[in-house]
Amino acid sequence: TVTAEDIANHPNEPIERVLQRKVPGLVVTRAADGGIALQIRGATSFRGDNAPLYVIDDTPIEPGPGGSLPGIDPYTIESIKVLKGADAGIYGIRGLNGVIVITTKKPGKR
């Protein structure tokens, strides 16, 4: 799990470095549109790609091109959890490649 505090404690460091340091097996790259693409190492896919399932504020979303994380400002993130294996099983076959669970800050929180 990566929290808002982890991101805030490294203000001059790109979020991809913070994520890779805190989450073993997570590959973070920049997508063509400047967004972040996340991949859980070792995952395979029933659809022919290996993008994880993204769940943002309890809502599953489809990743952008190349597995990119669409439209998330790192400063609005409360926490990011990476679920693999049996932990991702609660999402069924959609969680086969792992699940990235993102909780954003609610209005009024800092």
Side-chain angles (χ1 to χ4, degrees):
T1 300
V2 177
T3 65
E5 184 176 325
D6 295 323
I7 295 168
N9 286 339
H10 300 91
N12 297 323
E13 190 170 18
I15 189 170
E16 52 265 43
R17 285 196 189 145
V18 175
L19 288 169
Q20 282 184 301
R21 184 176 52 251
K22 295 282 290 180
V23 183
L26 185 67
V27 178
V28 185
T29 57
R30 285 286 175 176
D33 65 359
I36 295 173
L38 305 172
Q39 179 182 20
I40 300 171
R41 197 172 339 162
T44 58
S45 175
F46 70 97
R47 292 184 310 191
D49 63 13
N50 53 1
L53 171 66
Y54 292 116
V55 179
I56 300 176
D57 292 330
D58 299 322
T59 303
I61 65 163
E62 288 296 318
S68 66
L69 180 60
I72 296 293
D73 176 359
Y75 298 103
T76 65
I77 295 172
E78 182 69 32
S79 68
I80 299 174
K81 288 184 184 178
V82 177
L83 306 177
K84 302 184 253 184
D87 292 335
I90 62 171
Y91 292 96
I93 198 160
R94 292 181 71 193
L96 182 65
N97 297 323
V99 182
I100 309 290
V101 180
I102 299 172
T103 303
T104 59
K105 295 177 183 175
K106 306 302 180 246
K109 279 187 142 182
R110 292 180 186 221

